[in-house]
DNA sequence: TTCATAAATGTATTTATTACATTTATTTTC
DNA sequence: GAAAATAAATGTAATAAATACATTTATGAA
């Protein structure tokens, strides 16, 4: 840190948010249509600039809130993107964050005013600047994170079926999972609370709903348990 | 990105390098004694400021080179640190990088002029600012990375013994490993080339030297193989 | 009552991980 | 030159985890 004397080179610092959602079938990304130049009309991640009196984490929360109305959302820093010409207007370093949101429970907050739209991660439009690199890195981080921490539940409603949970993991990892083995694995962690209710949307028989037991997870974590899927 | 109009808030962007080494027994960190205020005389990571015409990656390489003389070193971005008061002099966002260097083969390049010193990661001095947070995150990233990519070899000389490799992994993960199981695991990946030479420094019998076969690793990776230890 | 549909469930096989002790090659010492 | 000392090299059995795979069950609709 600061080996040489005071240095006047200051740079614009931006934040970009990769917002993941899950619609029961596919992993989705929330994108916004830019309404100003350059690249006006092109799809973009949600972004904004860092202010002098806020931390990066605070700024990311603010940017997400100001562009979507969402708050109390799982968010984590991905990394910094600092190619010299990544923003054609001016040298900008951008700190990318990813957020996991539960589409069904937050969709009402998500006003349409901003021209935001959900896209299937498998079928994204062209994105401005280096946003596609950010998205790639975010997917790969999400894959890792979801396999070692129970962050997947952030993408599901509070109550969900085993099949929804399985579909979520299939979407995150981009591959099919055997349902008997999946259920066995989930049950062996003993972290879900089976509800006395069924979801009858997808079958006549109906399938039981479960909740993630966060308290139990925290207790187990303290005792050396690690989530793994 | 840039949702609001042009924004004049510019911020100092710094880089800090967490430099790991391995001395055959312990994981080490290269630290420097600050020779200017604030915190003059305190131990610090190697750092510098981002210049207008260089990318973050380029800047990290430059900073490392200018403070240690080292180049062609494994380096990767960790993440950005942006607490409002992390630097008491001026608002600064710092992008942390970690580097893996092979102490024995690079020690001659590492001139003493800078007051740099290797410290055992288990026994670090007090560090300035949020540098200890950076170090913690770097250790945890290194643990992950070394378990899924063959980056550990960056910390060893070109030729090394099985026992040195094992000690390295023990140091990275901070726990003992059974030597028979370790050798079995390593051999099962079939990535080392056994040399017709022995290292007799540590025993009368001597132990065979090995090289990591990078070409073979690349070939295998392309065919879906993933390093795992 | 039958049909259609997705839900729920179990076992055997293979693979990976763990635990654990003896023999071997060489140098040093007597 | 024999004995002692030292770390290297090596294998097997037990346990745990991952995988492959098919049938029965509950329910609503026809």
């Amino acid at each position: 840190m600061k080996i040489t004397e005071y240095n006047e080179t200051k740079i614009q610092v931006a934040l970009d948010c990769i917002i993941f959602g899950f619609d029961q079938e596919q992993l989705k990304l929330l994108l916004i249509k830019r309404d100003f130049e350059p690249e006006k009309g092109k799809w973009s991640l949600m972004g904004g600039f860092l202010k002098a009196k806020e931390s990066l984490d605070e700024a990311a929360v603010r940017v997400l809130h100001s562009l979507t109305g969402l708050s109390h959302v799982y968010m984590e820093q991905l990394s910094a993107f600092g190619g010299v010409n990544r923003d054609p207007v001016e040298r900008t370093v951008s700190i990318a964050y990813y957020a996991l949101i539960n589409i069904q429970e937050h969709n009402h907050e998500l006003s349409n005013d901003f021209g935001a739209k959900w896209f299937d991660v498998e079928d994204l439009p062209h994105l401005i600047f280096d946003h596609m690199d950010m998205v790639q890195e975010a997917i790969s981080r999400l894959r890792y994170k979801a396999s070692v921490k129970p962050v997947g539940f952030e993408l599901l409603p509070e109550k969900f079926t085993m099949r929804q949970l399985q579909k979520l993991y299939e979407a995150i990892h981009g591959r099919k999972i055997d349902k008997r083995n999946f259920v066995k694995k989930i049950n062996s962690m003993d972290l879900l609370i089976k509800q006395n209710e069924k979801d009858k949307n997808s079958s006549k028989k109906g399938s039981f709903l479960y909740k993630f037991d966060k308290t139990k997870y925290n207790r187990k974590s303290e005792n050396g348990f690690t989530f793994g899927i």
Side-chain angles (χ1 to χ4, degrees), chain A residues 18 20 27 78 98 133-147 172-173:
Chain A
I18 296 100
F20 288 105
L27 197 59
L78 194 58
Y98 68 102
D133 298 338
M134 294 180 177
V135 169
Q136 283 312 319
E137 193 176 309
I139 292 171
S140 125
R141 181 77 69 93
L142 175 60
R143 281 182 180 159
Y144 167 62
K145 201 80 186 184
S147 71
I172 290 174
H173 291 110

Side-chain angles (χ1 to χ4, degrees), chain A residues 15 40 49 60 63 98 113 133 142 144 165 180 214 223:
Chain A
L15 296 116
K40 182 170 174 171
F49 290 103
V63 167
Y98 68 102
D113 309 349
D133 298 338
L142 175 60
Y144 167 62
L165 184 60
R180 284 162 292 185
K214 198 158 192 169
N223 298 323

Side-chain angles (χ1 to χ4, degrees), chain A residues 12 33 42 56 62 64 69 71 76-77 88 90 93 99 103-104 129 148 172 183 205 215-216 223 229:
Chain A
Q12 188 100 255
K33 204 170 225 167
K42 299 275 182 63
L56 291 171
R62 170 183 57 79
L64 182 72
S71 40
E76 194 176 335
Q77 192 196 122
E90 185 183 6
V93 168
I103 298 184
Q104 15 287 311
F129 305 169
V148 299
I172 290 174
V183 169
K205 184 177 177 179
T215 312
K216 196 175 213 173
N223 298 323
I229 210 170

Side-chain angles (χ1 to χ4, degrees), chain A residues 60-72:
Chain A
V61 168
R62 170 183 57 79
V63 167
L64 182 72
H65 182 79
S66 70
L67 293 178
T68 63
L70 297 169
S71 40
H72 306 298

